Amino acid sequence: MKEIRLHGRGGQGVVKASQIVVRAAVAGGKNGQFIPFFGVERKGSPVFGYLRISEEPIRRKMQVYEPEILVIMDDSLVGLPATYAGLKDGGIVVINSVKTAEELGVPSNAGEIAIVDASGIAEELIGRNIPNTSMLGAFAKASGLVDKEVLFTEIEKAFGAVNRQAAERAYEETIVTKK
Amino acid sequence: MGKKVVLTGNYSASEAAALCRPDLIAAYPITPQSSVVEYLAGMVHNGKIDANLVQVESEHSACSVVQGAVAAGGRVFTATSAQGLALMYEPYFRMSTLRFPMVMALATREMTSPETVWSGQQDAMSVREAGWIQVYCDGNQEIVDMVIQGYKIAENEKVLLPVNVCYDGFYSSHLTEGVDLPLQEEVDRFLPAVHFNHCVLDPEKPFALDPLTPGPLMMKYRKSHLDAMEAALTVIEEVDKEFGDQFGRYYGGAISEYRTEDADVVILTIGGMTGTGMDAVDLAREQGIKAGLVKIRFARPFPAKRIAKALAGKKAFAVIDRSVSFGWSTGPMYMETRAALTDVDDKFAHFSAIGGLGGADISLDRMLGTIKKLDTVKNEPGQKETQWYMTD
């Protein structure tokens, strides 16, 4: 079972993106599970997402304390202690940012860092800062956990062709650094 | 078989309710339940289901409106949480005491104060004495299946009681996963159209409903209500079997057991913590502890005999509650489990564990901690101190 934790802000689409990953996992014959945790349900407040993908049925319904993959949709969240907490040794960190890994303070135990300007892609293609579908492209490239064609198809089904385009472009533009 | 779909817990309740062909739905939005009825409203609007949807101004009205419809012989559905349940308490109590069968989804939420919108079972636990049947689900498939089974149990002529299908707010209501959604024709075969003899409002045959009732007659009604609860214990098992035979999913009836057969120590769970508890049992077994789990599926009627049987011969048990019993310094399901056992202090080491209030997490580590504590005290019968899942 792979445990993934997402960090974003209300309005960035953490929930919708994670639900698409679950659909893609299920469509690919695996099991997927997503639990969101909101503070107050309004734009801008931190949102946590707990996402699991597994060959076996997923029984536990709890938060993710030791993620193998972190997906950070807003780089202003890296200063919060909760954001990098518990990252497994050799884990993957996917961040929406124009900064470098050093500037972002990515923990030294990370095995792989994937950075993409998802907000920039979203603003250019969709017309506003809704980075979730671009981040799914980055997630697909960095994690290899879901079939990218299945994922892109689910994105298009949910949000249309432009969002698929955003995910495809992010997939190409994501810079993955392995340590 | 059904079709595989990916749904949240709330949408699972909505889809299942729609498959039961309700005549009328009324509800008022409240976190974390709101999307149950929003989704159903969409289905009514799009013509996917042929139900009357009544927009009301409060939960009191929601419960009153569905009550009127069931009094007229209809199948009805509503959903609520916490403060909404509190506001509907007056018609809620009358629903069961008028012996009106229906299903209400309850996305369980902590009761204020302090102000909270997050998970907890205090709302459902606080209405244990309001005469409804209560089932607690672990996962979206169980939500789907128990809404469907709920009508079958509620409408059984030996029962004729309303059913609350409870599931944890956020941890289940907002959990997204794949479920096997039964096909309409399969549900139609399992759940025929409803026909009541005891509640049909017909302008052609007027009669007074719920007249002022003197004590001696009230006593008879209450006893009959308690008898129906007792009968429900059997009906729950029958419906579980019938459902399993048709759909291939059996839940064990009023309780289910996991690795209890040779267990020394047992945790008892209720609701969405159960799956995590199973993982904790597996981990404990890997560490050499003979652990097992009993899932309390129905809190009303309380499956006392089955719990006593499941715990017979075990050395220690803990009941993990996501709510508190004010006055007992324990969780409510712990007290009821104790009440189900004879000579409890001679036969078992036992304690109450309380966690997950107001959206706090009930983690694998916490549950494993409870199992380990049970293992250390298992040879010292008697009640131990209540274990609180505090962060610091």
Side-chain angles (χ1 to χ4, degrees):
Chain A
M1 179 170 63
K2 295 283 180 191
E3 294 197 311
I4 301 146
R5 196 172 65 216
L6 297 98
H7 296 262
R9 293 187 181 277
Q12 289 187 315
V14 168
V15 174
K16 295 285 181 201
S18 304
Q19 290 175 334
I20 284 173
V21 175
V22 173
R23 274 191 226 118
V26 171
K30 294 184 185 176
N31 295 287
Q33 179 212 66
F34 172 69
I35 305 171
F37 190 84
F38 312 103
V40 285
E41 288 182 70
R42 63 177 68 113
K43 272 192 175 180
S45 62
V47 176
F48 299 84
Y50 309 109
L51 178 63
R52 295 184 172 89
I53 297 172
S54 174
E55 300 288 338
E56 303 298 317
I58 302 163
R59 299 189 300 199
R60 63 188 64 176
K61 281 165 277 306
M62 54 181 271
Q63 299 177 10
V64 170
Y65 295 92
E66 292 179 355
E68 284 166 72
I69 302 170
L70 273 174
V71 178
I72 302 163
M73 297 233 185
D74 187 314
D75 68 5
S76 69
L77 293 166
V78 300
L80 299 180
T83 303
Y84 289 130
L87 177 68
K88 278 206 167 151
D89 288 344
I92 302 170
V93 181
V94 187
I95 308 187
N96 167 22
S97 187
V98 293
K99 295 179 184 165
T100 65
E102 292 71 35
E103 288 170 322
L104 292 164
V106 174
S108 56
N109 70 335
E112 187 178 323
I113 301 157
I115 301 176
V116 65
D117 180 16
S119 292
I121 294 170
E123 278 171 1
E124 192 186 319
L125 292 179
I126 304 164
R128 63 193 176 100
N129 180 8
I130 179 86
N132 63 342
T133 44
S134 305
M135 284 299 280
L136 286 180
F139 169 77
K141 185 173 187 175
S143 73
L145 268 184
V146 282
D147 184 275
K148 84 172 160 146
E149 281 312 314
V150 175
L151 185 71
F152 292 167
T153 304
E154 291 294 337
I155 291 171
E156 188 167 354
K157 263 199 263 177
F159 297 118
V162 175
N163 277 281
R164 182 194 176 109
Q165 205 186 328
E168 285 174 344
R169 188 159 138 201
Y171 188 93
E172 295 306 322
E173 290 184 6
T174 299
I175 296 167
V176 180
T177 313
K178 296 200 184 193
K179 297 213 296 191
Chain B
M1 289 310 289
K3 56 176 177 176
K4 189 85 174 174
V5 290
V6 171
L7 296 170
T8 65
N10 277 344
Y11 288 176
S12 299
S14 316
E15 288 279 7
L19 286 169
C20 295
R21 298 189 185 275
D23 296 297
L24 183 138
I25 300 158
Y28 191 78
I30 185 165
T31 303
Q33 163 279 130
S34 304
S35 59
V36 176
V37 269
E38 284 169 8
Y39 193 79
L40 281 165
M43 292 175 99
V44 172
H45 177 76
N46 296 329
K48 281 191 171 176
I49 54 170
D50 180 23
N52 290 293
L53 183 87
V54 184
Q55 293 194 47
V56 289
E57 71 283 8
S58 75
E59 285 85 356
H60 187 283
S61 298
C63 195
S64 299
V65 166
V66 295
Q67 196 159 86
V70 73
R75 185 178 282 158
V76 301
F77 180 80
T78 189
T80 196
S81 299
Q83 310 308 111
L85 179 65
L87 185 55
M88 69 165 62
Y89 187 68
E90 187 255 341
Y92 179 85
F93 207 105
R94 200 171 340 102
M95 189 73 77
S96 79
T97 48
L98 281 172
R99 305 291 301 276
F100 283 170
M102 67 165 292
V103 170
M104 176 196 294
L106 191 57
T108 55
R109 163 178 149 177
E110 190 62 57
M111 294 297 296
T112 56
S113 282
E115 178 63 1
T116 175
V117 296
W118 296 292
S119 204
Q121 294 172 344
Q122 198 70 43
D123 52 359
M125 286 294 161
S126 73
V127 294
R128 286 180 351 271
E129 306 301 14
W132 285 57
I133 289 171
Q134 288 187 333
V135 58
Y136 291 75
C137 301
D138 177 37
N140 295 356
Q141 188 69 58
E142 193 172 11
I143 296 172
V144 167
D145 294 347
M146 291 321 295
V147 167
I148 297 166
Q149 287 190 38
Y151 283 104
K152 188 90 167 181
I153 295 163
E155 292 166 3
N156 185 294
E157 61 177 12
K158 292 176 196 154
V159 179
L160 295 173
L161 289 171
V163 173
N164 264 148
V165 176
C166 309
Y167 50 90
D168 293 75
F170 293 106
Y171 287 100
S172 289
S173 67
H174 287 58
L175 181 149
T176 301
E177 65 182 352
V179 301
D180 187 50
L181 194 65
L183 303 176
Q184 184 66 63
E185 55 267 32
E186 293 177 331
V187 177
D188 288 346
R189 187 147 57 90
F190 179 76
L191 189 69
V194 66
H195 293 290
F196 304 130
N197 295 318
H198 73 304
C199 52
V200 181
L201 285 186
D202 182 351
E204 301 297 315
K205 298 177 212 158
F207 71 97
L209 181 70
D210 204 13
L212 205 56
T213 303
L217 191 51
M218 168 69 84
M219 297 276 288
K220 287 186 181 175
Y221 281 127
R222 285 293 183 268
K223 180 168 186 306
S224 145
H225 192 148
L226 266 58
D227 290 346
M229 274 283 179
E230 187 70 24
L233 281 171
T234 306
V235 172
I236 287 163
E237 310 292 330
E238 289 166 359
V239 170
D240 183 66
K241 182 172 186 310
E242 189 182 338
F243 187 90
D245 289 348
Q246 189 180 333
F247 296 93
R249 292 185 292 276
Y250 299 87
Y251 289 93
I255 66 167
S256 67
E257 297 179 53
Y258 181 69
R259 303 187 81 166
T260 49
E261 205 162 297
D262 65 335
D264 289 334
V265 304
V266 173
I267 52 170
L268 292 95
T269 61
I270 184 158
M273 69 176 86
T274 304
T276 313
M278 289 178 179
D279 282 356
V281 163
D282 287 357
L283 271 177
R285 290 256 171 188
E286 284 170 22
Q287 296 172 20
I289 301 172
K290 287 168 104 175
L293 180 147
V294 171
K295 175 188 182 188
I296 303 172
R297 297 188 67 242
F298 283 77
R300 286 290 178 271
F302 192 76
K305 284 179 187 157
R306 283 199 59 194
I307 286 176
K309 197 175 163 204
L311 293 178
K314 311 303 178 199
K315 292 180 176 171
F317 70 87
V319 184
I320 305 168
D321 275 284
R322 199 167 207 142
S323 58
V324 300
S325 179
F326 296 102
W328 279 110
S329 297
T330 68
M333 287 296 100
Y334 167 75
M335 287 312 301
E336 300 210 357
T337 300
R338 283 186 61 158
L341 303 167
T342 49
D343 305 326
V344 62
D345 285 335
D346 298 329
K347 288 181 182 162
F348 303 96
H350 55 93
F351 61 88
S352 166
I354 294 170
L357 309 185
D361 196 20
I362 297 184
S363 68
L364 188 61
D365 282 356
R366 296 289 192 187
M367 298 184 92
L368 189 59
T370 297
I371 294 170
K372 285 180 175 170
K373 186 177 169 191
L374 282 172
D375 195 52
T376 59
V377 301
K378 68 178 183 230
N379 295 317
E380 306 154 26
Q383 184 183 356
K384 313 300 167 197
E385 198 181 339
T386 294
Q387 187 182 38
W388 285 81
Y389 291 175
M390 296 288 187
T391 306
D392 45 42

mmCIF file of all heavy atoms in Angstrom, chain B residues 320-354:
data_model
loop_
_atom_site.group_PDB
_atom_site.id
_atom_site.type_symbol
_atom_site.label_atom_id
_atom_site.label_comp_id
_atom_site.label_asym_id
_atom_site.label_seq_id
_atom_site.Cartn_x
_atom_site.Cartn_y
_atom_site.Cartn_z
ATOM 1 N N ILE B 320 -13.533 0.568 22.454
ATOM 2 C CA ILE B 320 -13.064 1.875 21.991
ATOM 3 C C ILE B 320 -14.272 2.689 21.539
ATOM 4 O O ILE B 320 -14.979 2.299 20.607
ATOM 5 C CB ILE B 320 -12.039 1.710 20.855
ATOM 6 C CG1 ILE B 320 -10.886 0.793 21.326
ATOM 7 C CG2 ILE B 320 -11.498 3.081 20.424
ATOM 8 C CD1 ILE B 320 -9.975 0.322 20.216
ATOM 9 N N ASP B 321 -14.522 3.779 22.226
ATOM 10 C CA ASP B 321 -15.662 4.640 21.913
ATOM 11 C C ASP B 321 -15.186 5.949 21.305
ATOM 12 O O ASP B 321 -14.170 6.507 21.717
ATOM 13 C CB ASP B 321 -16.450 4.951 23.191
ATOM 14 C CG ASP B 321 -17.461 3.881 23.543
ATOM 15 O OD1 ASP B 321 -18.517 3.836 22.891
ATOM 16 O OD2 ASP B 321 -17.188 3.093 24.481
ATOM 17 N N ARG B 322 -15.981 6.444 20.335
ATOM 18 C CA ARG B 322 -15.722 7.767 19.766
ATOM 19 C C ARG B 322 -16.724 8.762 20.376
ATOM 20 O O ARG B 322 -17.253 9.653 19.706
ATOM 21 C CB ARG B 322 -15.896 7.693 18.247
ATOM 22 C CG ARG B 322 -15.243 8.819 17.514
ATOM 23 C CD ARG B 322 -15.151 8.589 16.000
ATOM 24 N NE ARG B 322 -14.006 9.334 15.516
ATOM 25 C CZ ARG B 322 -13.174 8.923 14.583
ATOM 26 N NH1 ARG B 322 -13.363 7.773 13.998
ATOM 27 N NH2 ARG B 322 -12.158 9.663 14.217
ATOM 28 N N SER B 323 -17.031 8.563 21.638
ATOM 29 C CA SER B 323 -17.981 9.422 22.356
ATOM 30 C C SER B 323 -17.777 9.129 23.831
ATOM 31 O O SER B 323 -17.052 8.196 24.181
ATOM 32 C CB SER B 323 -19.422 9.085 21.948
ATOM 33 O OG SER B 323 -19.692 7.726 22.209
ATOM 34 N N VAL B 324 -18.430 9.919 24.672
ATOM 35 C CA VAL B 324 -18.267 9.707 26.110
ATOM 36 C C VAL B 324 -19.619 9.466 26.767
ATOM 37 O O VAL B 324 -20.658 9.854 26.253
ATOM 38 C CB VAL B 324 -17.595 10.926 26.797
ATOM 39 C CG1 VAL B 324 -16.215 11.181 26.206
ATOM 40 C CG2 VAL B 324 -18.472 12.172 26.707
ATOM 41 N N SER B 325 -19.569 8.789 27.919
ATOM 42 C CA SER B 325 -20.757 8.676 28.751
ATOM 43 C C SER B 325 -20.545 9.580 29.957
ATOM 44 O O SER B 325 -19.758 9.258 30.842
ATOM 45 C CB SER B 325 -20.943 7.223 29.202
ATOM 46 O OG SER B 325 -22.090 7.126 30.024
ATOM 47 N N PHE B 326 -21.207 10.737 29.942
ATOM 48 C CA PHE B 326 -21.074 11.662 31.055
ATOM 49 C C PHE B 326 -21.645 10.988 32.303
ATOM 50 O O PHE B 326 -22.771 10.514 32.298
ATOM 51 C CB PHE B 326 -21.863 12.950 30.769
ATOM 52 C CG PHE B 326 -21.338 13.721 29.585
ATOM 53 C CD1 PHE B 326 -21.981 13.673 28.356
ATOM 54 C CD2 PHE B 326 -20.200 14.494 29.692
ATOM 55 C CE1 PHE B 326 -21.513 14.383 27.261
ATOM 56 C CE2 PHE B 326 -19.710 15.215 28.604
ATOM 57 C CZ PHE B 326 -20.369 15.153 27.390
ATOM 58 N N GLY B 327 -20.853 10.920 33.348
ATOM 59 C CA GLY B 327 -21.348 10.279 34.570
ATOM 60 C C GLY B 327 -20.705 8.932 34.833
ATOM 61 O O GLY B 327 -20.721 8.444 35.960
ATOM 62 N N TRP B 328 -20.142 8.322 33.792
ATOM 63 C CA TRP B 328 -19.484 7.033 33.990
ATOM 64 C C TRP B 328 -17.962 7.119 33.831
ATOM 65 O O TRP B 328 -17.260 6.152 34.086
ATOM 66 C CB TRP B 328 -20.019 5.981 33.013
ATOM 67 C CG TRP B 328 -21.307 5.353 33.419
ATOM 68 C CD1 TRP B 328 -22.519 5.528 32.831
ATOM 69 C CD2 TRP B 328 -21.525 4.438 34.509
ATOM 70 N NE1 TRP B 328 -23.478 4.789 33.470
ATOM 71 C CE2 TRP B 328 -22.894 4.100 34.510
ATOM 72 C CE3 TRP B 328 -20.695 3.867 35.474
ATOM 73 C CZ2 TRP B 328 -23.456 3.222 35.429
ATOM 74 C CZ3 TRP B 328 -21.248 2.992 36.401
ATOM 75 C CH2 TRP B 328 -22.623 2.682 36.370
ATOM 76 N N SER B 329 -17.465 8.239 33.336
ATOM 77 C CA SER B 329 -16.024 8.387 33.061
ATOM 78 C C SER B 329 -15.514 7.313 32.095
ATOM 79 O O SER B 329 -14.377 6.865 32.175
ATOM 80 C CB SER B 329 -15.202 8.340 34.354
ATOM 81 O OG SER B 329 -15.560 9.419 35.180
ATOM 82 N N THR B 330 -16.375 6.884 31.214
ATOM 83 C CA THR B 330 -16.030 5.873 30.202
ATOM 84 C C THR B 330 -16.792 6.201 28.920
ATOM 85 O O THR B 330 -17.543 7.175 28.866
ATOM 86 C CB THR B 330 -16.474 4.457 30.639
ATOM 87 O OG1 THR B 330 -17.905 4.413 30.655
ATOM 88 C CG2 THR B 330 -15.925 4.074 32.005
ATOM 89 N N GLY B 331 -16.604 5.381 27.912
ATOM 90 C CA GLY B 331 -17.433 5.484 26.722
ATOM 91 C C GLY B 331 -18.732 4.703 26.900
ATOM 92 O O GLY B 331 -18.783 3.766 27.708
ATOM 93 N N PRO B 332 -19.773 5.058 26.163
ATOM 94 C CA PRO B 332 -21.074 4.392 26.338
ATOM 95 C C PRO B 332 -21.095 2.920 25.917
ATOM 96 O O PRO B 332 -21.731 2.095 26.581
ATOM 97 C CB PRO B 332 -22.029 5.228 25.471
ATOM 98 C CG PRO B 332 -21.159 5.996 24.544
ATOM 99 C CD PRO B 332 -19.848 6.203 25.238
ATOM 100 N N MET B 333 -20.423 2.571 24.832
ATOM 101 C CA MET B 333 -20.447 1.167 24.386
ATOM 102 C C MET B 333 -19.688 0.270 25.365
ATOM 103 O O MET B 333 -19.979 -0.919 25.488
ATOM 104 C CB MET B 333 -19.881 1.039 22.968
ATOM 105 C CG MET B 333 -20.785 1.567 21.877
ATOM 106 S SD MET B 333 -22.362 0.666 21.703
ATOM 107 C CE MET B 333 -23.490 1.744 22.557
ATOM 108 N N TYR B 334 -18.724 0.853 26.063
ATOM 109 C CA TYR B 334 -18.025 0.096 27.108
ATOM 110 C C TYR B 334 -18.999 -0.286 28.211
ATOM 111 O O TYR B 334 -19.044 -1.442 28.641
ATOM 112 C CB TYR B 334 -16.859 0.919 27.662
ATOM 113 C CG TYR B 334 -16.279 0.351 28.942
ATOM 114 C CD1 TYR B 334 -15.473 -0.785 28.918
ATOM 115 C CD2 TYR B 334 -16.560 0.933 30.177
ATOM 116 C CE1 TYR B 334 -14.958 -1.307 30.086
ATOM 117 C CE2 TYR B 334 -16.046 0.416 31.354
ATOM 118 C CZ TYR B 334 -15.247 -0.715 31.309
ATOM 119 O OH TYR B 334 -14.738 -1.238 32.466
ATOM 120 N N MET B 335 -19.794 0.699 28.660
ATOM 121 C CA MET B 335 -20.746 0.397 29.747
ATOM 122 C C MET B 335 -21.759 -0.649 29.312
ATOM 123 O O MET B 335 -22.136 -1.524 30.082
ATOM 124 C CB MET B 335 -21.472 1.672 30.193
ATOM 125 C CG MET B 335 -20.615 2.628 30.984
ATOM 126 S SD MET B 335 -19.670 1.845 32.333
ATOM 127 C CE MET B 335 -20.983 1.139 33.323
ATOM 128 N N GLU B 336 -22.197 -0.564 28.076
ATOM 129 C CA GLU B 336 -23.207 -1.520 27.612
ATOM 130 C C GLU B 336 -22.596 -2.914 27.421
ATOM 131 O O GLU B 336 -23.251 -3.927 27.660
ATOM 132 C CB GLU B 336 -23.865 -1.003 26.333
ATOM 133 C CG GLU B 336 -24.543 0.344 26.601
ATOM 134 C CD GLU B 336 -25.748 0.611 25.734
ATOM 135 O OE1 GLU B 336 -26.067 -0.205 24.859
ATOM 136 O OE2 GLU B 336 -26.374 1.675 25.956
ATOM 137 N N THR B 337 -21.343 -2.943 27.004
ATOM 138 C CA THR B 337 -20.667 -4.239 26.872
ATOM 139 C C THR B 337 -20.528 -4.895 28.240
ATOM 140 O O THR B 337 -20.785 -6.096 28.404
ATOM 141 C CB THR B 337 -19.288 -4.055 26.207
ATOM 142 O OG1 THR B 337 -19.490 -3.486 24.907
ATOM 143 C CG2 THR B 337 -18.549 -5.373 26.075
ATOM 144 N N ARG B 338 -20.125 -4.090 29.239
ATOM 145 C CA ARG B 338 -20.049 -4.609 30.613
ATOM 146 C C ARG B 338 -21.388 -5.182 31.052
ATOM 147 O O ARG B 338 -21.455 -6.254 31.670
ATOM 148 C CB ARG B 338 -19.677 -3.492 31.575
ATOM 149 C CG ARG B 338 -18.239 -3.121 31.572
ATOM 150 C CD ARG B 338 -17.982 -2.128 32.667
ATOM 151 N NE ARG B 338 -18.303 -2.695 33.970
ATOM 152 C CZ ARG B 338 -17.816 -2.262 35.119
ATOM 153 N NH1 ARG B 338 -16.993 -1.231 35.125
ATOM 154 N NH2 ARG B 338 -18.147 -2.814 36.255
ATOM 155 N N ALA B 339 -22.445 -4.424 30.744
ATOM 156 C CA ALA B 339 -23.777 -4.851 31.177
ATOM 157 C C ALA B 339 -24.196 -6.171 30.529
ATOM 158 O O ALA B 339 -25.041 -6.885 31.047
ATOM 159 C CB ALA B 339 -24.802 -3.756 30.871
ATOM 160 N N ALA B 340 -23.578 -6.472 29.381
ATOM 161 C CA ALA B 340 -23.922 -7.712 28.669
ATOM 162 C C ALA B 340 -23.232 -8.932 29.265
ATOM 163 O O ALA B 340 -23.540 -10.061 28.900
ATOM 164 C CB ALA B 340 -23.536 -7.576 27.191
ATOM 165 N N LEU B 341 -22.271 -8.701 30.175
ATOM 166 C CA LEU B 341 -21.448 -9.804 30.691
ATOM 167 C C LEU B 341 -21.760 -10.057 32.165
ATOM 168 O O LEU B 341 -21.971 -9.117 32.925
ATOM 169 C CB LEU B 341 -19.968 -9.449 30.545
ATOM 170 C CG LEU B 341 -19.507 -9.109 29.120
ATOM 171 C CD1 LEU B 341 -18.136 -8.468 29.135
ATOM 172 C CD2 LEU B 341 -19.508 -10.357 28.244
ATOM 173 N N THR B 342 -21.739 -11.333 32.561
ATOM 174 C CA THR B 342 -21.921 -11.643 33.976
ATOM 175 C C THR B 342 -20.552 -11.815 34.637
ATOM 176 O O THR B 342 -19.593 -12.242 33.985
ATOM 177 C CB THR B 342 -22.734 -12.943 34.149
ATOM 178 O OG1 THR B 342 -22.151 -13.944 33.315
ATOM 179 C CG2 THR B 342 -24.179 -12.737 33.770
ATOM 180 N N ASP B 343 -20.464 -11.464 35.902
ATOM 181 C CA ASP B 343 -19.204 -11.589 36.669
ATOM 182 C C ASP B 343 -18.021 -10.970 35.928
ATOM 183 O O ASP B 343 -16.930 -11.538 35.878
ATOM 184 C CB ASP B 343 -18.883 -13.066 36.970
ATOM 185 C CG ASP B 343 -20.030 -13.751 37.688
ATOM 186 O OD1 ASP B 343 -20.705 -13.063 38.487
ATOM 187 O OD2 ASP B 343 -20.270 -14.944 37.439
ATOM 188 N N VAL B 344 -18.270 -9.801 35.340
ATOM 189 C CA VAL B 344 -17.268 -9.221 34.445
ATOM 190 C C VAL B 344 -15.932 -8.990 35.141
ATOM 191 O O VAL B 344 -14.865 -9.227 34.557
ATOM 192 C CB VAL B 344 -17.817 -7.933 33.785
ATOM 193 C CG1 VAL B 344 -18.150 -6.860 34.804
ATOM 194 C CG2 VAL B 344 -16.852 -7.386 32.746
ATOM 195 N N ASP B 345 -15.985 -8.537 36.423
ATOM 196 C CA ASP B 345 -14.730 -8.219 37.118
ATOM 197 C C ASP B 345 -13.950 -9.462 37.535
ATOM 198 O O ASP B 345 -12.757 -9.385 37.829
ATOM 199 C CB ASP B 345 -15.007 -7.342 38.351
ATOM 200 C CG ASP B 345 -15.315 -5.912 37.951
ATOM 201 O OD1 ASP B 345 -14.878 -5.491 36.859
ATOM 202 O OD2 ASP B 345 -16.023 -5.218 38.711
ATOM 203 N N ASP B 346 -14.628 -10.618 37.613
ATOM 204 C CA ASP B 346 -13.922 -11.860 37.940
ATOM 205 C C ASP B 346 -13.334 -12.525 36.709
ATOM 206 O O ASP B 346 -12.304 -13.187 36.770
ATOM 207 C CB ASP B 346 -14.884 -12.856 38.615
ATOM 208 C CG ASP B 346 -15.416 -12.311 39.934
ATOM 209 O OD1 ASP B 346 -14.669 -11.552 40.586
ATOM 210 O OD2 ASP B 346 -16.564 -12.618 40.282
ATOM 211 N N LYS B 347 -14.010 -12.334 35.599
ATOM 212 C CA LYS B 347 -13.638 -13.104 34.404
ATOM 213 C C LYS B 347 -12.683 -12.374 33.467
ATOM 214 O O LYS B 347 -11.978 -13.015 32.682
ATOM 215 C CB LYS B 347 -14.903 -13.477 33.624
ATOM 216 C CG LYS B 347 -15.743 -14.551 34.301
ATOM 217 C CD LYS B 347 -16.946 -14.875 33.439
ATOM 218 C CE LYS B 347 -17.835 -15.918 34.097
ATOM 219 N NZ LYS B 347 -19.183 -15.931 33.497
ATOM 220 N N PHE B 348 -12.712 -11.041 33.509
ATOM 221 C CA PHE B 348 -11.942 -10.293 32.492
ATOM 222 C C PHE B 348 -11.154 -9.141 33.112
ATOM 223 O O PHE B 348 -11.616 -8.506 34.058
ATOM 224 C CB PHE B 348 -12.892 -9.641 31.467
ATOM 225 C CG PHE B 348 -13.817 -10.565 30.761
ATOM 226 C CD1 PHE B 348 -15.124 -10.734 31.220
ATOM 227 C CD2 PHE B 348 -13.414 -11.252 29.621
ATOM 228 C CE1 PHE B 348 -16.013 -11.576 30.555
ATOM 229 C CE2 PHE B 348 -14.301 -12.091 28.958
ATOM 230 C CZ PHE B 348 -15.596 -12.261 29.425
ATOM 231 N N ALA B 349 -10.007 -8.851 32.530
ATOM 232 C CA ALA B 349 -9.411 -7.530 32.681
ATOM 233 C C ALA B 349 -10.058 -6.668 31.593
ATOM 234 O O ALA B 349 -10.210 -7.124 30.453
ATOM 235 C CB ALA B 349 -7.915 -7.594 32.473
ATOM 236 N N HIS B 350 -10.454 -5.444 31.936
ATOM 237 C CA HIS B 350 -11.209 -4.678 30.940
ATOM 238 C C HIS B 350 -11.086 -3.182 31.205
ATOM 239 O O HIS B 350 -10.876 -2.752 32.336
ATOM 240 C CB HIS B 350 -12.682 -5.090 30.945
ATOM 241 C CG HIS B 350 -13.351 -4.985 32.279
ATOM 242 N ND1 HIS B 350 -14.048 -3.868 32.676
ATOM 243 C CD2 HIS B 350 -13.408 -5.850 33.334
ATOM 244 C CE1 HIS B 350 -14.519 -4.062 33.905
ATOM 245 N NE2 HIS B 350 -14.136 -5.252 34.330
ATOM 246 N N PHE B 351 -11.172 -2.420 30.142
ATOM 247 C CA PHE B 351 -11.192 -0.963 30.289
ATOM 248 C C PHE B 351 -11.836 -0.300 29.080
ATOM 249 O O PHE B 351 -12.040 -0.925 28.044
ATOM 250 C CB PHE B 351 -9.778 -0.405 30.546
ATOM 251 C CG PHE B 351 -8.765 -0.670 29.461
ATOM 252 C CD1 PHE B 351 -8.625 0.201 28.391
ATOM 253 C CD2 PHE B 351 -7.927 -1.787 29.530
ATOM 254 C CE1 PHE B 351 -7.663 -0.025 27.406
ATOM 255 C CE2 PHE B 351 -6.966 -2.020 28.548
ATOM 256 C CZ PHE B 351 -6.835 -1.140 27.479
ATOM 257 N N SER B 352 -12.160 0.964 29.297
ATOM 258 C CA SER B 352 -12.738 1.798 28.252
ATOM 259 C C SER B 352 -11.629 2.608 27.604
ATOM 260 O O SER B 352 -10.735 3.090 28.301
ATOM 261 C CB SER B 352 -13.763 2.744 28.888
ATOM 262 O OG SER B 352 -14.133 3.775 28.005
ATOM 263 N N ALA B 353 -11.658 2.727 26.283
ATOM 264 C CA ALA B 353 -10.744 3.636 25.584
ATOM 265 C C ALA B 353 -11.599 4.668 24.848
ATOM 266 O O ALA B 353 -12.634 4.317 24.263
ATOM 267 C CB ALA B 353 -9.868 2.867 24.606
ATOM 268 N N ILE B 354 -11.169 5.925 24.928
ATOM 269 C CA ILE B 354 -11.934 7.007 24.296
ATOM 270 C C ILE B 354 -11.011 7.762 23.350
ATOM 271 O O ILE B 354 -9.933 8.199 23.738
ATOM 272 C CB ILE B 354 -12.512 7.962 25.364
ATOM 273 C CG1 ILE B 354 -13.558 7.224 26.214
ATOM 274 C CG2 ILE B 354 -13.149 9.192 24.689
ATOM 275 C CD1 ILE B 354 -14.011 7.994 27.441
#
